[in-house]
Amino acid sequence: MTIISHLYAFVVGVDTHAKNHVYAILTNRGEHLDTREFPTTNTGLARALDWVGRRTGGHLDTLWVIEGIGTYGAILAENVAEAGYTVAEAASMSARDRHSTGKDDQIDARRIATTVLPLEQSRLRVPRQADGPRQGLRILVGARESMTREKTRTINALTALLRANDLGIDARRKLSVAKIRTVSKWRGRNEPVARCEARREAIRLAKRVIELDADIKDYATRILALVKDSPAAVLLAQPGIGPITAAVFYLAWSHPGRVHSEAAFAKLAGVNPIPASSGNVVRFRLNRSGDRRLNSALYMVAITKLSFDEETRAYMAKRLGEGKSKKEAIRCIKRFVARRVYRLLEATSVVGQAA
């Protein structure tokens, strides 16, 4: 068992923001050396690295713990790693800690550094890789999700408009693709002002849905190409796993060593059981935390497998017969899928090393 304070001479905690980052330097004994704020420009990041180098005597055995590595801290983390330092991702701060010690940027930076000192090395949050296919997939998956949400909102707005105005189309049920295309081909008519404007808006919304649908399909094709060129390619052969879910699994797993066990991967996904026993009642409740995108991908795979896989259906029936609710049974299936996905991804790294 190796403790972080035994591995590194210094720890730098960074509280990140859009315009400025706040840096706090601590020794491995928890002594505070200095705190400074630098802008997030290229010059500001270079000055921050130079300042930390001077205050730590140029030691590369300095651990940088950066908040928001996937957002505000992404560029800083890249620069720090290129400089030869070890980079970790800051854990979320609890509201209870903030209530007891207060909150400002300097306090947060020091807390970020202090929190990791007593941790075991295995519990250090290794940042996800941001290069090659994975970085491209992160951008494409995020953009596709945004477009999918916008498409849903636009269809809902079009449906509400057609239900509130008599424009000659039946919108009592969910709009089909054919009906949306029909609306997009409408032309202006000589009719009362309110109906005329409603028709124009319906045409605009329908055209936007068609545009978004084409973009979503294009992004799915590009995601598939990148997945095939990544370690996640092995997942495509698994029943119920498509290119989108495979990409989500790969984004969460990232690279060998980031998630140290299949149990940790299940916890990351929020599919591990949470003890909720009391007295003579022994039970577990669902975990509603974790990476919700990853959890959603596991749910989609579980539901897909339930629609065609007899073994999965039999497992579902068995769990229901044991007295579990449908949600609890699906959680068990998601846990099984998470185990399988983790093992497949880890095996690809072993094969790569052997090759």
Side-chain angles (χ1 to χ4, degrees):
M1 181 174 66
T2 308
I3 305 300
I4 295 300
S5 60
H6 297 167
L7 289 175
Y8 300 94
F10 303 93
V11 175
V12 180
V14 187
D15 185 38
T16 59
H17 301 278
K19 295 183 178 180
N20 298 285
H21 296 335
V22 178
Y23 304 75
I25 306 175
L26 273 63
T27 68
N28 58 359
R29 296 187 298 274
E31 299 169 352
H32 176 240
L33 291 183
D34 205 350
T35 299
R36 284 282 298 275
E37 181 177 323
F38 294 94
T40 57
T41 60
N42 291 335
T43 302
L45 296 180
R47 287 173 53 203
L49 279 166
D50 181 65
W51 172 74
V52 171
R54 285 186 282 105
R55 297 296 284 126
T56 60
H59 275 288
L60 285 180
D61 57 344
T62 298
L63 174 65
W64 287 66
V65 187
I66 302 174
E67 179 191 49
I69 282 183
T71 52
Y72 292 143
I75 297 176
L76 172 64
E78 183 179 343
N79 290 348
V80 170
E82 288 178 355
Y85 292 104
T86 301
V87 180
E89 187 173 3
S92 301
M93 298 186 195
S94 68
R96 181 179 299 177
D97 292 340
R98 285 176 170 171
H99 284 316
S100 61
T101 60
K103 182 190 184 313
D104 64 26
D105 295 341
Q106 295 190 2
I107 292 175
D108 287 346
R110 289 184 61 175
R111 185 187 289 118
I112 288 169
T114 303
T115 302
V116 301
L117 287 174
L119 295 181
E120 298 177 23
Q121 185 183 16
S122 61
R123 294 184 59 194
L124 200 63
R125 300 182 64 173
V126 181
R128 303 175 183 182
Q129 287 182 342
D131 57 352
R134 190 189 175 281
Q135 178 68 354
L137 283 171
R138 185 183 69 82
I139 295 169
L140 291 177
V141 169
R144 184 182 178 278
E145 286 183 351
S146 177
M147 289 186 290
T148 301
R149 289 193 295 268
E150 183 184 351
K151 179 184 173 183
T152 301
R153 290 195 302 269
T154 308
I155 291 176
N156 290 341
L158 176 59
T159 302
L161 184 67
L162 292 174
R163 287 175 178 173
N165 298 272
D166 183 10
L167 300 179
I169 195 166
D170 188 356
R172 289 176 296 175
R173 295 184 178 181
K174 180 181 178 181
L175 291 177
S176 65
V177 175
K179 286 184 177 180
I180 292 174
R181 291 191 179 279
T182 298
V183 174
S184 70
K185 295 176 183 178
W186 281 350
R187 295 292 182 267
R189 302 178 186 179
N190 185 16
E191 51 191 351
V193 175
R195 186 175 298 177
C196 178
E197 293 301 331
R199 190 175 299 278
R200 287 180 178 177
E201 177 63 5
I203 294 170
R204 184 191 71 81
L205 291 172
K207 287 182 176 179
R208 182 56 181 156
V209 171
I210 293 172
E211 290 173 1
L212 287 168
D213 190 56
D215 288 341
I216 289 169
K217 290 178 180 177
D218 175 57
Y219 272 57
T221 301
R222 290 156 64 183
I223 288 171
L224 175 59
L226 284 181
V227 167
K228 288 182 176 179
D229 192 35
S230 75
V234 67
L235 299 178
L236 296 176
Q238 297 300 305
I241 299 181
I244 307 302
T245 49
V248 172
F249 294 148
Y250 175 45
L251 291 174
W253 174 78
S254 182
H255 59 276
R258 178 179 182 269
V259 185
H260 59 82
S261 69
E262 65 180 42
F265 188 71
K267 184 176 181 180
L268 174 65
V271 297
N272 59 311
I274 303 296
S277 302
S278 178
N280 295 326
V281 178
V282 178
R283 62 178 293 269
F284 296 88
R285 68 171 177 83
L286 300 176
N287 186 352
R288 293 180 173 81
S289 62
D291 186 331
R292 303 319 294 173
R293 176 195 282 171
L294 176 57
N295 187 285
S296 177
L298 289 170
Y299 177 81
M300 291 304 299
V301 174
I303 295 301
T304 302
K305 287 173 69 67
L306 280 171
S307 67
F308 70 86
D309 185 44
E310 291 300 328
E311 185 179 354
T312 305
R313 289 178 177 177
Y315 180 82
M316 179 75 163
K318 176 185 174 182
R319 289 298 188 180
L320 292 176
E322 294 173 351
K324 291 188 179 298
S325 67
K326 186 176 180 180
K327 285 185 177 181
E328 290 172 332
I330 291 176
R331 199 277 308 164
C332 293
I333 297 173
K334 287 157 65 177
R335 176 67 176 87
F336 171 81
V337 175
R339 181 185 302 113
R340 180 65 177 162
V341 166
Y342 177 80
R343 289 178 178 178
L344 286 171
L345 290 172
E346 287 291 313
T348 59
S349 62
V350 175
V351 172
Q353 292 173 2

